[in-house]
Amino acid sequence: KAGVTQTPRYLIKTRGQQVTLSCSPISGHRSVSWYQQTPGQGLQFLFEYFSETQRNKGNFPGRFSGRQFSNSRSEMNVSTLELGDSALYLCASSPTPQGNEKLFFGSGTQLSVL
Amino acid sequence: GIQVEQSPPDLILQEGANSTLRCNFSDSVNNLQWFHQNPWGQLINLFYIPSGTKQNGRLSATTVATERYSLLYISSSQTTDSGVYFCAARGGSGNTGKLIFGQGTTLQVKP
């Protein structure tokens, strides 16, 4: 079974631009969660989607948004990028709503904002 | 929301040594997981252990939910064990809420 796939692996953007990151969960998994990882703040929860519905949202500004498609693939979008948005963005999937079972992570997208 | 604290923040071992990593949480949990992040950034799920004890090879974990802590044991450490170990917990009842991660323990195993 293929693991969680995130694309792209690396991304360089400039301030003010917007970016879209993609996540394909493990086949059969319907829950997708997104996390932001930075050296200073650690792993912070962004949001979770299950069956195309947002179940939970973390404490991030409205510039951060996401969605999930009927095939469970998910995208997250960051608009009006700021330097502080530079981070490793991790996607995780599980069969059922987040954390009822093991969470499986992708390799992440490293975003650099210049 | 639930608070998750890990100790120690950093650990340096010689190959072959044993170690214990601790995770304290501030509220009752219905989900507790341990992860290993390798030097390339990949997070690997080690254990799903909201209570009780589990073992997987040289690794084992114990969660004492009533006392609000979990321990990860690494025996006969190898250089490939290096990286950051995270615990993550979800508080409360039911299946709502999000998994909150601790700040991690950075482990370096020297040959």
Side-chain angles (χ1 to χ4, degrees), chain B residues 24-85:
Chain B
N24 292 331
F25 36 92
S26 60
D27 201 353
S28 60
V29 298
N30 56 31
N31 191 306
L32 193 293
Q33 301 187 38
W34 284 96
F35 297 86
H36 174 223
Q37 188 169 39
N38 63 27
W40 297 271
Q42 177 72 52
L43 270 164
I44 305 296
N45 194 300
L46 298 175
F47 293 103
Y48 170 79
I49 187 165
S51 63
T53 298
K54 289 186 178 179
Q55 180 157 7
N56 184 4
R58 297 181 296 103
L59 302 181
S60 64
T62 295
T63 297
V64 184
T66 53
E67 297 188 21
R68 300 183 182 173
Y69 72 89
S70 183
L71 302 174
L72 178 68
Y73 305 95
I74 305 174
S75 65
S76 304
S77 58
Q78 301 175 358
T79 56
T80 52
D81 295 330
S82 295
V84 185
Y85 289 81

Side-chain angles (χ1 to χ4, degrees), chain A residues 9 35 37 41-43 45 55-58 88 90 97-103 105-107, chain B residues 31 33 35 37 40-43 45-48 86 90 94-101 103:
Chain A
R9 184 72 179 93
Y35 283 84
Q37 186 176 25
Q41 298 298 317
L43 276 152
F45 174 80
R55 282 177 50 86
N56 282 299
K57 192 176 189 310
L88 179 65
L90 291 160
Q98 188 196 51
N100 285 348
E101 300 176 53
K102 276 188 171 185
L103 211 57
F105 279 86
S107 299
Chain B
N31 191 306
Q33 301 187 38
F35 297 86
Q37 188 169 39
W40 297 271
Q42 177 72 52
L43 270 164
N45 194 300
L46 298 175
F47 293 103
Y48 170 79
F86 292 98
R90 184 177 70 189
N95 64 1
T96 59
K98 54 212 179 196
L99 272 175
I100 302 299
F101 280 73
Q103 290 297 307

